[in-house]
């Protein structure tokens, strides 16, 4: 109860008692797990991992909770190879629990291994039962992965399935509309999804979502409204190279070349790129 209720600061002898219990009964899983939880709450992830692994290896049962805690720590530490290995063991032990497939896929995505991530997600989504939100998240990641490898038709289909399960998935509404705009494909659909996304987040505006809407407007040649929307995004985040570059592109279409150069140069200071440098060099003469 002390650990569950996060009251360890009120019981300074707790660790000492648990260490004595563990010293007396080193193969008792409950003491290993409690010490792991205690060290995790204190931020000592290395000791927490050690005790969790002891609990997995010596305990009478392999526990879903323990695997989840180890995965959580590896994710916090950006140790994706270790996370994949633990997720594999968890899947072997609990093959019907979709969460372990999901965590493994996220780690693979961080390693830029999108094709294997798709395989893992397609295997895991079959075990998602009566949980529309989780199913939507699975297909959202599948859509992201297909987009990364250039399989745009499969990406669009996956995003569509995600929205079938959760029509209000704002990240899918945003990503789907942005990727469509980049390809200049189905721009009216992209616009409607982006509008919906920003309506759902009107009480807590997201600069990335606003940037997407501005970019869709840019692609549909509605430059004046695009400028209005992207300026709202900049009010929330004026330190994004992507938003600043998009702002410059919109200003250029409005023939505000000097202002466009200012935005591109600001973006270049944050995240230099050959593309930005070419834009700046090309239009310096015009200005």
């Amino acid at each position: 109860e002390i650990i569950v209720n996060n009251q360890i600061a009120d019981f300074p002898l707790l660790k000492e008692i648990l260490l004595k219990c563990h010293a007396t009964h080193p193969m008792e899983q409950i003491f290993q797990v409690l010490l792991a939880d205690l060290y995790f709450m204190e931020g000592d992830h290395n000791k927490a991992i050690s005790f969790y692994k002891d609990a997995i290896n010596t305990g009478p049962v392999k526990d879903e909770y323990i695997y989840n805690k180890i995965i959580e720590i590896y994710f916090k530490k950006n140790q994706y190879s270790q996370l994949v290995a633990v997720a594999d063991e968890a899947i072997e032990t609990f093959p019907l629990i979709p969460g372990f497939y999901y965590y493994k896929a996220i780690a693979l995505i961080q390693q830029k291994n999108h094709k294997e991530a798709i395989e893992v997600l397609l295997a895991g989504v079959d075990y998602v039962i009566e949980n529309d939100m989780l199913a939507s998240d699975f297909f959202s990641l599948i859509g992201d992965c297909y987009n990364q490898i250039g399989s745009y038709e499969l990406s669009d289909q996956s995003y569509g399935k995600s929205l079938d399960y959760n029509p209000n998935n704002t990240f899918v509404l945003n990503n789907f509309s942005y990727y469509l705009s980049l390809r200049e494909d189905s721009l009216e659909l992209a616009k409607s999804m982006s509008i919906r996304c920003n309506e759902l987040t009107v009480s807590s505006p997201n600069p990335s979502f606003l940037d997407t809407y501005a970019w869709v407007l840019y692609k549909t040649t509605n430059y004046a409204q695009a400028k209005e929307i992207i300026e709202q995004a900049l009010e929330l985040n004026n330190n994004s190279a992507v938003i600043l570059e998009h702002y410059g592109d919109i200003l250029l279409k409005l023939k505000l070349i000097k202002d466009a150069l200012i935005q591109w140069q600001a973006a270049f200071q944050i995240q230099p790129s050959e593309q930005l440098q070419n834009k700046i060099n090309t239009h310096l003469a015009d200005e």
Side-chain angles (χ1 to χ4, degrees):
E1 285 188 18
I2 293 169
I3 290 175
V4 168
N5 295 323
N6 195 16
Q7 296 174 314
I8 58 174
D10 299 329
F11 296 88
L13 293 178
L14 178 62
K15 184 190 293 185
E16 179 183 343
I17 293 169
L18 285 174
L19 287 169
K20 287 181 178 179
C21 290
H22 178 258
T24 307
H25 304 282
M27 303 300 287
E28 186 66 45
Q29 188 183 50
I30 186 61
F31 297 136
Q32 294 166 337
V33 174
L34 287 172
L35 278 166
D37 286 346
L38 185 62
Y39 282 119
F40 177 83
M41 295 175 73
E42 291 180 341
D44 192 337
H45 292 152
N46 290 332
K47 286 187 178 179
I49 281 279
S50 178
F51 278 108
Y52 282 133
K53 286 185 174 180
D54 285 346
I56 286 287
N57 293 327
T58 65
V61 296
K62 292 185 181 294
D63 194 298
E64 176 188 349
Y65 169 81
I66 301 172
Y67 280 122
N68 275 311
K69 295 303 291 186
I70 295 174
I71 287 171
E72 182 179 351
I73 292 172
Y74 281 142
F75 190 81
K76 286 177 179 288
K77 294 164 70 70
N78 299 325
Q79 294 179 334
Y80 300 117
S81 295
Q82 294 91 326
L83 194 160
V84 168
V86 172
D88 279 336
E89 184 180 333
I91 289 169
E92 184 177 350
T93 309
F94 299 100
L96 303 184
I97 295 179
F100 293 130
Y101 297 85
Y102 189 81
Y103 299 137
K104 179 182 177 180
I106 289 176
L108 290 169
I109 290 168
Q110 294 297 322
Q111 296 175 314
K112 309 299 182 185
N113 193 345
H114 297 98
K115 289 184 178 180
E116 187 177 350
I118 291 169
E119 294 175 3
V120 172
L121 289 163
L122 289 174
V125 74
D126 287 340
Y127 303 115
V128 179
I129 308 298
E130 297 182 354
N131 188 336
D132 287 352
M133 296 301 178
L134 183 57
S136 179
D137 289 342
F138 262 83
F139 282 110
S140 172
L141 282 184
I142 294 169
D144 290 345
C145 290
Y146 275 130
N147 183 77
Q148 287 297 320
I149 64 175
S151 296
Y152 300 125
E153 184 176 350
L154 290 172
S155 175
D156 293 352
Q157 291 174 5
S158 300
Y159 284 140
K161 288 181 180 179
S162 178
L163 292 173
D164 287 341
Y165 282 105
N166 177 15
N168 295 334
N169 189 324
T170 53
F171 289 100
V172 175
L173 289 167
N174 179 73
N175 291 354
F176 194 5
S177 57
Y178 185 63
Y179 293 140
L180 286 174
S181 70
L182 289 179
R183 288 152 40 202
E184 298 186 356
D185 184 11
S186 304
L187 290 176
E188 286 305 313
L189 172 61
K191 183 178 178 180
S192 66
M193 288 192 297
S194 188
I195 290 172
R196 176 61 177 160
C197 176
N198 283 283
E199 286 176 345
L200 290 167
T201 55
V202 67
S203 61
S204 182
N206 183 312
S208 179
F209 296 169
L210 289 166
D211 172 64
T212 293
Y213 183 34
W215 196 242
V216 172
L217 291 168
Y218 170 88
K219 289 290 186 175
T220 56
T221 71
N222 193 340
Y223 304 124
Q225 189 180 2
K227 178 177 179 291
E228 177 185 335
I229 298 299
I230 206 161
E231 286 173 351
Q232 294 176 24
L234 283 167
E235 287 179 7
L236 298 169
N237 180 8
N238 61 4
N239 198 40
S240 164
V242 172
I243 296 177
L244 289 166
E245 182 177 3
H246 285 169
Y247 190 26
D249 293 348
I250 293 167
L251 292 171
L252 179 66
K253 290 294 186 181
L254 293 169
K255 303 187 185 306
L256 301 171
I257 299 174
K258 183 177 180 180
D259 292 337
L261 282 167
I262 291 172
Q263 302 307 321
W264 289 332
Q265 288 165 341
F268 189 85
Q269 292 297 315
I270 297 170
Q271 188 174 330
S273 71
E274 184 178 350
Q275 175 179 292
L276 270 169
Q277 189 64 71
N278 289 338
K279 285 183 183 180
I280 293 168
N281 293 340
T282 298
H283 295 286
L284 271 174
D286 298 338
E287 194 276 327

